[in-house]
mmCIF file of all heavy atoms in Angstrom:
data_model
loop_
_atom_site.group_PDB
_atom_site.id
_atom_site.type_symbol
_atom_site.label_atom_id
_atom_site.label_comp_id
_atom_site.label_asym_id
_atom_site.label_seq_id
_atom_site.Cartn_x
_atom_site.Cartn_y
_atom_site.Cartn_z
ATOM 1 N N THR B 26 5.066 -2.512 9.456
ATOM 2 C CA THR B 26 4.174 -1.437 9.032
ATOM 3 C C THR B 26 2.710 -1.835 9.078
ATOM 4 O O THR B 26 1.870 -1.141 8.546
ATOM 5 C CB THR B 26 4.526 -0.977 7.614
ATOM 6 O OG1 THR B 26 4.425 -2.091 6.734
ATOM 7 C CG2 THR B 26 5.913 -0.385 7.558
ATOM 8 N N MET B 27 2.383 -2.932 9.712
ATOM 9 C CA MET B 27 0.999 -3.388 9.757
ATOM 10 C C MET B 27 0.248 -2.701 10.886
ATOM 11 O O MET B 27 0.801 -2.406 11.920
ATOM 12 C CB MET B 27 0.929 -4.887 10.001
ATOM 13 C CG MET B 27 1.653 -5.665 8.953
ATOM 14 S SD MET B 27 1.010 -5.268 7.376
ATOM 15 C CE MET B 27 0.645 -6.864 6.839
ATOM 16 N N ASN B 28 -1.016 -2.462 10.653
ATOM 17 C CA ASN B 28 -1.881 -1.982 11.719
ATOM 18 C C ASN B 28 -3.290 -2.460 11.444
ATOM 19 O O ASN B 28 -3.595 -2.923 10.363
ATOM 20 C CB ASN B 28 -1.823 -0.457 11.851
ATOM 21 C CG ASN B 28 -2.343 0.268 10.631
ATOM 22 O OD1 ASN B 28 -2.890 -0.337 9.716
ATOM 23 N ND2 ASN B 28 -2.179 1.563 10.596
ATOM 24 N N LYS B 29 -4.136 -2.378 12.429
ATOM 25 C CA LYS B 29 -5.536 -2.753 12.251
ATOM 26 C C LYS B 29 -6.361 -1.487 12.254
ATOM 27 O O LYS B 29 -6.237 -0.659 13.136
ATOM 28 C CB LYS B 29 -6.008 -3.683 13.363
ATOM 29 C CG LYS B 29 -5.724 -5.112 13.106
ATOM 30 C CD LYS B 29 -6.553 -5.982 14.002
ATOM 31 C CE LYS B 29 -6.501 -7.371 13.419
ATOM 32 N NZ LYS B 29 -7.454 -8.250 13.959
ATOM 33 N N VAL B 30 -7.186 -1.353 11.239
ATOM 34 C CA VAL B 30 -8.072 -0.203 11.134
ATOM 35 C C VAL B 30 -9.479 -0.751 10.993
ATOM 36 O O VAL B 30 -9.790 -1.422 10.020
ATOM 37 C CB VAL B 30 -7.703 0.652 9.906
ATOM 38 C CG1 VAL B 30 -8.653 1.820 9.771
ATOM 39 C CG2 VAL B 30 -6.266 1.124 9.999
ATOM 40 N N ASN B 31 -10.299 -0.485 11.970
ATOM 41 C CA ASN B 31 -11.681 -0.980 11.944
ATOM 42 C C ASN B 31 -11.733 -2.477 11.632
ATOM 43 O O ASN B 31 -12.510 -2.928 10.806
ATOM 44 C CB ASN B 31 -12.509 -0.202 10.919
ATOM 45 C CG ASN B 31 -12.612 1.256 11.287
ATOM 46 O OD1 ASN B 31 -12.598 1.600 12.451
ATOM 47 N ND2 ASN B 31 -12.706 2.104 10.289
ATOM 48 N N THR B 32 -10.877 -3.236 12.247
ATOM 49 C CA THR B 32 -10.749 -4.683 12.102
ATOM 50 C C THR B 32 -10.364 -5.120 10.690
ATOM 51 O O THR B 32 -10.456 -6.288 10.358
ATOM 52 C CB THR B 32 -12.028 -5.444 12.552
ATOM 53 O OG1 THR B 32 -13.081 -5.178 11.636
ATOM 54 C CG2 THR B 32 -12.415 -5.085 13.959
ATOM 55 N N VAL B 33 -9.951 -4.209 9.844
ATOM 56 C CA VAL B 33 -9.449 -4.552 8.515
ATOM 57 C C VAL B 33 -7.958 -4.253 8.518
ATOM 58 O O VAL B 33 -7.541 -3.121 8.727
ATOM 59 C CB VAL B 33 -10.160 -3.721 7.412
ATOM 60 C CG1 VAL B 33 -9.537 -4.001 6.066
ATOM 61 C CG2 VAL B 33 -11.641 -4.022 7.399
ATOM 62 N N GLU B 34 -7.163 -5.295 8.300
ATOM 63 C CA GLU B 34 -5.721 -5.100 8.314
ATOM 64 C C GLU B 34 -5.258 -4.467 7.008
ATOM 65 O O GLU B 34 -5.689 -4.847 5.928
ATOM 66 C CB GLU B 34 -5.003 -6.426 8.515
ATOM 67 C CG GLU B 34 -5.135 -6.965 9.915
ATOM 68 C CD GLU B 34 -4.327 -8.217 10.095
ATOM 69 O OE1 GLU B 34 -4.867 -9.285 9.807
ATOM 70 O OE2 GLU B 34 -3.163 -8.099 10.506
ATOM 71 N N LYS B 35 -4.371 -3.486 7.145
ATOM 72 C CA LYS B 35 -3.778 -2.791 6.012
ATOM 73 C C LYS B 35 -2.304 -2.569 6.303
ATOM 74 O O LYS B 35 -1.868 -2.659 7.440
ATOM 75 C CB LYS B 35 -4.424 -1.416 5.810
ATOM 76 C CG LYS B 35 -5.871 -1.436 5.429
ATOM 77 C CD LYS B 35 -6.357 -0.016 5.206
ATOM 78 C CE LYS B 35 -7.806 -0.006 4.784
ATOM 79 N NZ LYS B 35 -8.243 1.347 4.406
ATOM 80 N N VAL B 36 -1.572 -2.242 5.270
ATOM 81 C CA VAL B 36 -0.189 -1.829 5.431
ATOM 82 C C VAL B 36 -0.192 -0.320 5.592
ATOM 83 O O VAL B 36 -0.841 0.398 4.836
ATOM 84 C CB VAL B 36 0.652 -2.232 4.202
ATOM 85 C CG1 VAL B 36 2.073 -1.728 4.340
ATOM 86 C CG2 VAL B 36 0.641 -3.740 4.018
ATOM 87 N N ASP B 37 0.489 0.165 6.591
ATOM 88 C CA ASP B 37 0.575 1.598 6.843
ATOM 89 C C ASP B 37 1.583 2.211 5.872
ATOM 90 O O ASP B 37 2.777 1.962 5.957
ATOM 91 C CB ASP B 37 1.014 1.833 8.288
ATOM 92 C CG ASP B 37 1.121 3.301 8.647
ATOM 93 O OD1 ASP B 37 0.753 4.160 7.807
ATOM 94 O OD2 ASP B 37 1.572 3.591 9.756
ATOM 95 N N LEU B 38 1.082 3.003 4.948
ATOM 96 C CA LEU B 38 1.934 3.632 3.940
ATOM 97 C C LEU B 38 2.225 5.094 4.270
ATOM 98 O O LEU B 38 2.729 5.833 3.422
ATOM 99 C CB LEU B 38 1.273 3.533 2.561
ATOM 100 C CG LEU B 38 1.000 2.128 2.033
ATOM 101 C CD1 LEU B 38 0.299 2.194 0.688
ATOM 102 C CD2 LEU B 38 2.280 1.313 1.942
ATOM 103 N N SER B 39 1.943 5.511 5.481
ATOM 104 C CA SER B 39 2.089 6.923 5.842
ATOM 105 C C SER B 39 3.541 7.408 5.797
ATOM 106 O O SER B 39 3.781 8.603 5.687
ATOM 107 C CB SER B 39 1.488 7.194 7.225
ATOM 108 O OG SER B 39 2.180 6.471 8.216
ATOM 109 N N ASN B 40 4.500 6.516 5.858
ATOM 110 C CA ASN B 40 5.911 6.914 5.799
ATOM 111 C C ASN B 40 6.426 7.055 4.373
ATOM 112 O O ASN B 40 7.593 7.384 4.176
ATOM 113 C CB ASN B 40 6.784 5.911 6.558
ATOM 114 C CG ASN B 40 6.521 5.956 8.040
ATOM 115 O OD1 ASN B 40 6.218 7.001 8.595
ATOM 116 N ND2 ASN B 40 6.619 4.815 8.695
ATOM 117 N N TYR B 41 5.571 6.786 3.389
ATOM 118 C CA TYR B 41 5.970 6.874 1.991
ATOM 119 C C TYR B 41 5.475 8.184 1.389
ATOM 120 O O TYR B 41 4.423 8.697 1.761
ATOM 121 C CB TYR B 41 5.405 5.694 1.197
ATOM 122 C CG TYR B 41 6.020 4.377 1.594
ATOM 123 C CD1 TYR B 41 5.436 3.576 2.579
ATOM 124 C CD2 TYR B 41 7.184 3.931 0.999
ATOM 125 C CE1 TYR B 41 6.004 2.374 2.951
ATOM 126 C CE2 TYR B 41 7.761 2.725 1.364
ATOM 127 C CZ TYR B 41 7.162 1.953 2.342
ATOM 128 O OH TYR B 41 7.731 0.769 2.703
ATOM 129 N N THR B 42 6.232 8.701 0.433
ATOM 130 C CA THR B 42 5.810 9.907 -0.279
ATOM 131 C C THR B 42 4.671 9.556 -1.224
ATOM 132 O O THR B 42 4.431 8.372 -1.518
ATOM 133 C CB THR B 42 6.967 10.502 -1.099
ATOM 134 O OG1 THR B 42 7.305 9.581 -2.149
ATOM 135 C CG2 THR B 42 8.178 10.801 -0.225
ATOM 136 N N LEU B 43 3.994 10.583 -1.737
ATOM 137 C CA LEU B 43 2.916 10.353 -2.700
ATOM 138 C C LEU B 43 3.445 9.610 -3.919
ATOM 139 O O LEU B 43 2.807 8.672 -4.403
ATOM 140 C CB LEU B 43 2.274 11.682 -3.114
ATOM 141 C CG LEU B 43 1.154 11.584 -4.155
ATOM 142 C CD1 LEU B 43 0.012 10.718 -3.645
ATOM 143 C CD2 LEU B 43 0.661 12.972 -4.528
ATOM 144 N N LYS B 44 4.603 9.993 -4.405
ATOM 145 C CA LYS B 44 5.193 9.327 -5.574
ATOM 146 C C LYS B 44 5.480 7.848 -5.283
ATOM 147 O O LYS B 44 5.226 6.982 -6.120
ATOM 148 C CB LYS B 44 6.470 10.053 -5.993
ATOM 149 C CG LYS B 44 7.068 9.557 -7.273
ATOM 150 C CD LYS B 44 8.255 10.395 -7.701
ATOM 151 C CE LYS B 44 8.822 9.847 -8.997
ATOM 152 N NZ LYS B 44 9.908 10.678 -9.507
ATOM 153 N N GLN B 45 5.979 7.563 -4.103
ATOM 154 C CA GLN B 45 6.248 6.177 -3.720
ATOM 155 C C GLN B 45 4.948 5.379 -3.603
ATOM 156 O O GLN B 45 4.889 4.226 -4.021
ATOM 157 C CB GLN B 45 7.022 6.120 -2.409
ATOM 158 C CG GLN B 45 8.457 6.577 -2.519
ATOM 159 C CD GLN B 45 9.132 6.669 -1.169
ATOM 160 O OE1 GLN B 45 8.529 7.130 -0.189
ATOM 161 N NE2 GLN B 45 10.385 6.254 -1.108
ATOM 162 N N LYS B 46 3.918 5.997 -3.034
ATOM 163 C CA LYS B 46 2.623 5.318 -2.927
ATOM 164 C C LYS B 46 2.059 5.008 -4.303
ATOM 165 O O LYS B 46 1.509 3.927 -4.523
ATOM 166 C CB LYS B 46 1.632 6.178 -2.139
ATOM 167 C CG LYS B 46 1.944 6.288 -0.669
ATOM 168 C CD LYS B 46 0.965 7.236 0.012
ATOM 169 C CE LYS B 46 1.364 7.538 1.429
ATOM 170 N NZ LYS B 46 0.479 8.499 2.081
ATOM 171 N N GLN B 47 2.195 5.946 -5.230
ATOM 172 C CA GLN B 47 1.712 5.711 -6.590
ATOM 173 C C GLN B 47 2.501 4.592 -7.252
ATOM 174 O O GLN B 47 1.936 3.748 -7.949
ATOM 175 C CB GLN B 47 1.813 7.001 -7.415
ATOM 176 C CG GLN B 47 0.830 8.058 -6.968
ATOM 177 C CD GLN B 47 1.099 9.419 -7.588
ATOM 178 O OE1 GLN B 47 2.208 9.737 -8.006
ATOM 179 N NE2 GLN B 47 0.053 10.236 -7.646
ATOM 180 N N SER B 48 3.792 4.557 -7.029
ATOM 181 C CA SER B 48 4.629 3.486 -7.570
ATOM 182 C C SER B 48 4.242 2.137 -6.972
ATOM 183 O O SER B 48 4.149 1.131 -7.687
ATOM 184 C CB SER B 48 6.103 3.788 -7.301
ATOM 185 O OG SER B 48 6.928 2.784 -7.838
ATOM 186 N N LEU B 49 3.988 2.110 -5.661
ATOM 187 C CA LEU B 49 3.553 0.870 -5.012
ATOM 188 C C LEU B 49 2.205 0.407 -5.571
ATOM 189 O O LEU B 49 1.990 -0.790 -5.780
ATOM 190 C CB LEU B 49 3.464 1.044 -3.497
ATOM 191 C CG LEU B 49 4.794 1.127 -2.760
ATOM 192 C CD1 LEU B 49 4.577 1.520 -1.303
ATOM 193 C CD2 LEU B 49 5.545 -0.192 -2.856
ATOM 194 N N GLN B 50 1.307 1.348 -5.831
ATOM 195 C CA GLN B 50 -0.003 1.008 -6.404
ATOM 196 C C GLN B 50 0.173 0.369 -7.775
ATOM 197 O O GLN B 50 -0.436 -0.655 -8.087
ATOM 198 C CB GLN B 50 -0.881 2.266 -6.510
ATOM 199 C CG GLN B 50 -2.232 2.026 -7.153
ATOM 200 C CD GLN B 50 -3.187 1.231 -6.286
ATOM 201 O OE1 GLN B 50 -3.257 1.440 -5.094
ATOM 202 N NE2 GLN B 50 -3.920 0.316 -6.886
ATOM 203 N N LYS B 51 1.030 0.963 -8.612
ATOM 204 C CA LYS B 51 1.279 0.402 -9.948
ATOM 205 C C LYS B 51 1.944 -0.963 -9.840
ATOM 206 O O LYS B 51 1.622 -1.884 -10.595
ATOM 207 C CB LYS B 51 2.132 1.359 -10.772
ATOM 208 C CG LYS B 51 1.405 2.628 -11.150
ATOM 209 C CD LYS B 51 2.334 3.600 -11.854
ATOM 210 C CE LYS B 51 1.652 4.931 -12.089
ATOM 211 N NZ LYS B 51 2.606 5.921 -12.636
ATOM 212 N N GLY B 52 2.877 -1.099 -8.908
ATOM 213 C CA GLY B 52 3.521 -2.390 -8.683
ATOM 214 C C GLY B 52 2.535 -3.432 -8.192
ATOM 215 O O GLY B 52 2.601 -4.605 -8.588
ATOM 216 N N TYR B 53 1.613 -3.015 -7.344
ATOM 217 C CA TYR B 53 0.559 -3.913 -6.865
ATOM 218 C C TYR B 53 -0.289 -4.410 -8.034
ATOM 219 O O TYR B 53 -0.624 -5.596 -8.109
ATOM 220 C CB TYR B 53 -0.312 -3.177 -5.840
ATOM 221 C CG TYR B 53 -1.606 -3.879 -5.511
ATOM 222 C CD1 TYR B 53 -1.618 -4.994 -4.686
ATOM 223 C CD2 TYR B 53 -2.820 -3.430 -6.033
ATOM 224 C CE1 TYR B 53 -2.805 -5.648 -4.380
ATOM 225 C CE2 TYR B 53 -4.002 -4.070 -5.734
ATOM 226 C CZ TYR B 53 -3.993 -5.179 -4.907
ATOM 227 O OH TYR B 53 -5.174 -5.823 -4.617
ATOM 228 N N GLU B 54 -0.614 -3.532 -8.953
ATOM 229 C CA GLU B 54 -1.407 -3.935 -10.123
ATOM 230 C C GLU B 54 -0.652 -4.944 -10.985
ATOM 231 O O GLU B 54 -1.238 -5.900 -11.500
ATOM 232 C CB GLU B 54 -1.804 -2.693 -10.931
ATOM 233 C CG GLU B 54 -2.810 -1.835 -10.163
ATOM 234 C CD GLU B 54 -2.989 -0.434 -10.723
ATOM 235 O OE1 GLU B 54 -2.426 -0.119 -11.797
ATOM 236 O OE2 GLU B 54 -3.698 0.370 -10.070
ATOM 237 N N ILE B 55 0.658 -4.766 -11.116
ATOM 238 C CA ILE B 55 1.480 -5.747 -11.838
ATOM 239 C C ILE B 55 1.483 -7.060 -11.075
ATOM 240 O O ILE B 55 1.362 -8.140 -11.662
ATOM 241 C CB ILE B 55 2.911 -5.211 -12.047
ATOM 242 C CG1 ILE B 55 2.884 -3.987 -12.964
ATOM 243 C CG2 ILE B 55 3.825 -6.298 -12.603
ATOM 244 C CD1 ILE B 55 4.194 -3.216 -13.022
ATOM 245 N N TRP B 56 1.610 -6.993 -9.751
ATOM 246 C CA TRP B 56 1.597 -8.201 -8.920
ATOM 247 C C TRP B 56 0.285 -8.961 -9.106
ATOM 248 O O TRP B 56 0.283 -10.183 -9.255
ATOM 249 C CB TRP B 56 1.798 -7.826 -7.453
ATOM 250 C CG TRP B 56 1.681 -8.972 -6.499
ATOM 251 C CD1 TRP B 56 2.603 -9.957 -6.287
ATOM 252 C CD2 TRP B 56 0.578 -9.255 -5.635
ATOM 253 N NE1 TRP B 56 2.126 -10.836 -5.322
ATOM 254 C CE2 TRP B 56 0.889 -10.420 -4.919
ATOM 255 C CE3 TRP B 56 -0.646 -8.620 -5.399
ATOM 256 C CZ2 TRP B 56 0.034 -10.971 -3.983
ATOM 257 C CZ3 TRP B 56 -1.488 -9.171 -4.464
ATOM 258 C CH2 TRP B 56 -1.153 -10.335 -3.770
ATOM 259 N N CYS B 57 -0.834 -8.219 -9.114
ATOM 260 C CA CYS B 57 -2.139 -8.860 -9.298
ATOM 261 C C CYS B 57 -2.190 -9.590 -10.632
ATOM 262 O O CYS B 57 -2.627 -10.738 -10.710
ATOM 263 C CB CYS B 57 -3.270 -7.835 -9.227
ATOM 264 S SG CYS B 57 -3.607 -7.247 -7.556
ATOM 265 N N SER B 58 -1.753 -8.943 -11.682
ATOM 266 C CA SER B 58 -1.782 -9.562 -13.007
ATOM 267 C C SER B 58 -0.782 -10.710 -13.106
ATOM 268 O O SER B 58 -1.091 -11.771 -13.623
ATOM 269 C CB SER B 58 -1.445 -8.535 -14.090
ATOM 270 O OG SER B 58 -2.440 -7.566 -14.171
ATOM 271 N N GLY B 59 0.421 -10.466 -12.610
ATOM 272 C CA GLY B 59 1.478 -11.449 -12.775
ATOM 273 C C GLY B 59 1.390 -12.630 -11.848
ATOM 274 O O GLY B 59 1.521 -13.774 -12.270
#
């Protein structure tokens, strides 16, 4: 799911629903803290 956008690499989340993206965002915040 990786792609390059303006030379900044990101994970392409376009295949995820809004609810899944929000869950991933919250999980990312836990990952950052943990």
Side-chain angles (χ1 to χ4, degrees):
T26 58
M27 302 303 234
N28 64 8
K29 274 197 164 193
V30 178
N31 297 329
T32 69
V33 175
E34 288 184 272
K35 295 182 179 187
V36 177
D37 180 6
L38 300 178
S39 63
N40 292 327
Y41 292 92
T42 66
L43 178 60
K44 187 175 180 176
Q45 289 173 319
K46 290 176 189 177
Q47 291 169 336
S48 181
L49 287 171
Q50 177 71 41
K51 291 175 187 174
Y53 167 76
E54 291 165 6
I55 295 169
W56 175 75
C57 286
S58 294

